[in-house]
Amino acid sequence: MSRIVISLSGEGRGHAARTLSLLEMLDGHRVLALVPDKIRQWFERETASFSELQICRLPSLSFQYRSSGKLSYTKSWMVAAPFIAKLSNNLAKLREWVSGFGPELAIADFEPLLPRLASRLSIPLLSLDHQHFLHSIDPAALPRQIRRKVVFLRPSVKLFCPTADRHLVSSFYRYPQRSGTDRYQQIGVLLRKGMGRMPSQVGEHILVYTRRSQAAASWLPTVANASRSVLVYGCGESAKSANIDFRPIDGEQFLVDLSSCKALITTAGNQLVGEALNLGKPVLAIPEKGNFEQQINGYFLAQSGMGQTLAVENVSNKTLRNFLERLAEFRKNIAFYSGSGNACVLKSIHQMLGLATAADAKAHIVSSQKIQQVHQ
């Protein structure tokens, strides 16, 4: 039984869903999870059955949005300033927890504290996230209006994780890599065990997931006009309105509704789009305003022929009707899709634990030699 410390970002469903999949793969190992306060209660409920799991509070960053629902990079950086000022203090507090746990491997999902701590404690680090595609993608593969955004965001990705022993980039699509990034390995999205046992059916409802109700306020009524049944997650629990059923966040029920929907409409988060495609569901991606990463995800979704992307201002009865009329076409293309990254992650973890064991053995030999030299 190995000891592994993991950390995750508290921003968005994708990081948490990926971590839950990871924990299932780490069954049989002792795990210390560094979890942001923002999702800690939810995370504790979802992981109640994991007996070898310890959870530690993690100071974290979060994106800031304007009242219109548009992502604001300026506000996000302003809120990040106090976090950066307390970086040394936060690292010192976490060091006590992590050192006491004695991990043989660290796994970080786009979170800035554990990579720095792992470096200081000489713990092998696996970076596992989607965002590092921004560092490794060849901008020439993108439309001209998006290329500058990739160059703009690339330095911030390295701030989150300055260095790692191995990088796994989890994505529902494949992208051309720029030269010098061979150590960034592309893998599929991570899937929960329950998804493999879940029968995928084509029901009557459209499933909607959005992280913020204000972001969906402009297009949700249009979706309601396009379908007799709409199930909505992420806008809070409200009374059922006409054909819209607002549902509370519930991981298991959400997967049931996803596996039985006729299509998914969501912001263009990588993890959920990948889960939907693995269940054979066409996706309409509506990127959050100002979220460059989601715009790129939407672009690759449209290029794949397995779904469509629309800017918020382009959502209308006509464009939604066009999406629904193409569902058969999308399903035909999805039939050839296989995008699970579980096996690659597990292989990397086993390899790195072996490397950690070998490094410990080498250190033990060197230490023994020094002791012998002292006694001679």
Side-chain angles (χ1 to χ4, degrees), residues 266-320:
T266 183
T267 52
N270 167 74
Q271 178 68 23
L272 179 53
V273 173
E275 290 173 353
L277 296 179
N278 274 281
L279 287 171
K281 305 302 178 181
V283 179
L284 174 60
I286 306 175
E288 296 173 341
K289 284 187 175 182
N291 193 319
F292 303 152
E293 176 200 334
Q294 290 193 4
Q295 291 174 18
I296 297 170
N297 292 344
Y299 168 77
F300 278 106
L301 173 65
Q303 291 295 304
S304 73
M306 296 183 289
Q308 192 174 337
T309 185
L310 287 173
V312 172
E313 59 271 19
N314 292 334
V315 178
S316 66
N317 290 328
K318 181 179 179 180
T319 54
L320 274 176

Side-chain angles (χ1 to χ4, degrees), residues 166 185 344-356:
R166 187 172 299 192
Q185 180 184 353
C344 292
V345 170
L346 198 56
K347 180 180 179 180
S348 291
I349 290 172
H350 288 167
Q351 289 175 342
M352 293 189 72
L353 286 172
L355 289 172

Side-chain angles (χ1 to χ4, degrees), residues 132-152:
H132 270 85
F133 88 93
L134 291 166
H135 182 77
S136 53
I137 192 171
D138 181 358
L142 297 169
R144 186 171 299 175
Q145 65 270 25
I146 302 180
R147 293 177 194 172
R148 292 181 181 177
K149 298 172 183 178
V150 170
V151 176
F152 169 73

